[in-house]
Amino acid sequence: GAVVSQHPSRVICKSGTSVKIECRSLDFQATTMFWYRQFPKKSLMLMATSNEGSKATYEQGVEKDKFLINHASLTLSTLTVTSAHPEDSSFYICSARARGEGWSNQPQHFGDGTRLSIL
Amino acid sequence: AQTVTQSQPEMSVQEAETVTLSCTYDTSESDYYLFWYKQPPSRQMILVIRQEAYKQQNATENRFSVNFQKAAKSFSLKISDSQLGDAAMYFCAYRSNDYKLSFGAGTTVTVRA
């Protein structure tokens, strides 16, 4: 149980285009989803937290207008990289907290990540 | 965000031997959770072990165990009987009351056959 599907797994696109990454909880309702960015051989950096039906909360230094996050339902959150440039190339990972887990020892449920390459 | 420090960028271990990865963190909270994640080349995040701060007993999962020293804010991971499949990047993570995770820089573990 607690499967998170992230799509696409790999995307290559031209500079200036917008790219949408989807994060779906397949067998549970995700009240909160998290978006991380990871550079090669580096740590995961939290970009933003999204709660279903409300605006995302961005971490300091993350451009809201560049990285649009939508959490319209309890099973889907999307990250749109707008007007992407080569410096936006990275590995993006989502994770989710299931409804009912609350303050528990249950870990976040991670997607398999998306490798974004901007040419 | 809490600061999580992993001071060992790389560690190498002989197959069947034991390796210990260090992790320290900084926090003023009394209740929190600590995790170790494994990230193989596929980059999938795999939970290795978790520890509740209010529990004094160190967590154990098969060949993986932790040494949790709350006063010292230390949370090391011991991998016993290392196997080739253990080769990966390992991240220590702190989960605060707002459910956010703060990750350390990671330690790359290489297993020698």
Side-chain angles (χ1 to χ4, degrees):
Chain A
V3 177
V4 174
S5 173
Q6 192 171 336
H7 179 80
S9 58
R10 179 79 190 263
V11 58
I12 302 171
C13 59
K14 293 181 179 179
S15 183
T17 59
S18 293
V19 180
K20 180 183 284 188
I21 302 170
E22 292 187 347
C23 181
R24 292 182 184 273
S25 56
L26 298 185
D27 52 0
F28 66 97
Q29 293 182 326
T31 52
T32 306
M33 285 189 172
F34 303 88
W35 287 94
Y36 298 88
R37 182 174 182 175
Q38 185 182 28
F39 290 104
K41 298 189 183 298
K42 297 295 183 182
S43 187
L44 280 74
M45 301 301 296
L46 179 64
M47 298 174 65
T49 303
S50 73
N51 293 297
E52 186 266 336
S54 62
K55 288 185 178 180
T57 303
Y58 290 81
E59 295 299 305
Q60 191 172 8
V62 177
E63 298 178 61
K64 303 178 184 181
D65 297 331
K66 161 68 77 174
F67 300 101
L68 300 179
I69 292 172
N70 183 277
H71 192 163
S73 77
L74 281 171
T75 60
L76 174 65
S77 177
T78 60
L79 166 66
T80 302
V81 184
T82 61
S83 186
H85 292 285
E87 59 266 28
D88 298 323
S89 298
S90 192
F91 190 67
Y92 294 88
I93 310 176
C94 71
S95 70
R97 179 177 78 175
R99 175 191 289 276
E101 285 182 348
W103 181 243
S104 72
N105 67 352
Q106 292 302 311
Q108 294 180 10
H109 309 288
F110 282 89
D112 287 343
T114 297
R115 183 168 300 188
L116 174 63
S117 300
I118 309 297
L119 306 178
Chain B
Q2 271 67 21
T3 301
V4 179
T5 302
Q6 292 179 250
S7 58
Q8 306 153 314
E10 297 179 352
M11 293 288 282
S12 180
V13 60
Q14 188 72 38
E15 198 175 5
E17 297 296 312
T18 296
V19 64
T20 299
L21 311 184
S22 66
C23 173
T24 58
Y25 56 94
D26 184 28
T27 186
S28 58
E29 297 175 335
S30 57
D31 290 329
Y32 49 88
Y33 290 88
L34 297 164
F35 303 87
W36 277 98
Y37 283 92
K38 170 184 178 181
Q39 189 180 45
S42 67
R43 305 190 80 167
Q44 182 184 17
M45 293 296 286
I46 301 168
L47 177 67
V48 175
I49 200 165
R50 76 193 81 178
Q51 175 80 43
E52 293 92 331
Y54 61 85
K55 286 188 176 179
Q56 293 185 339
Q57 186 174 6
N58 290 323
T60 299
E61 288 287 343
N62 300 314
R63 298 181 295 106
F64 299 88
S65 61
V66 298
N67 183 0
F68 174 49
Q69 301 291 324
K70 190 172 183 179
K73 297 178 183 175
S74 171
F75 182 59
S76 62
L77 173 70
K78 184 170 78 173
I79 307 174
S80 303
D81 186 24
S82 297
Q83 300 175 359
L84 295 177
D86 294 334
M89 197 159 187
Y90 287 79
F91 292 100
C92 176
Y94 174 103
R95 196 183 82 189
S96 53
N97 289 331
D98 58 6
Y99 213 83
K100 292 182 180 180
L101 282 176
S102 298
F103 288 90
T107 298
T108 299
V109 172
T110 303
V111 181
R112 306 186 304 273

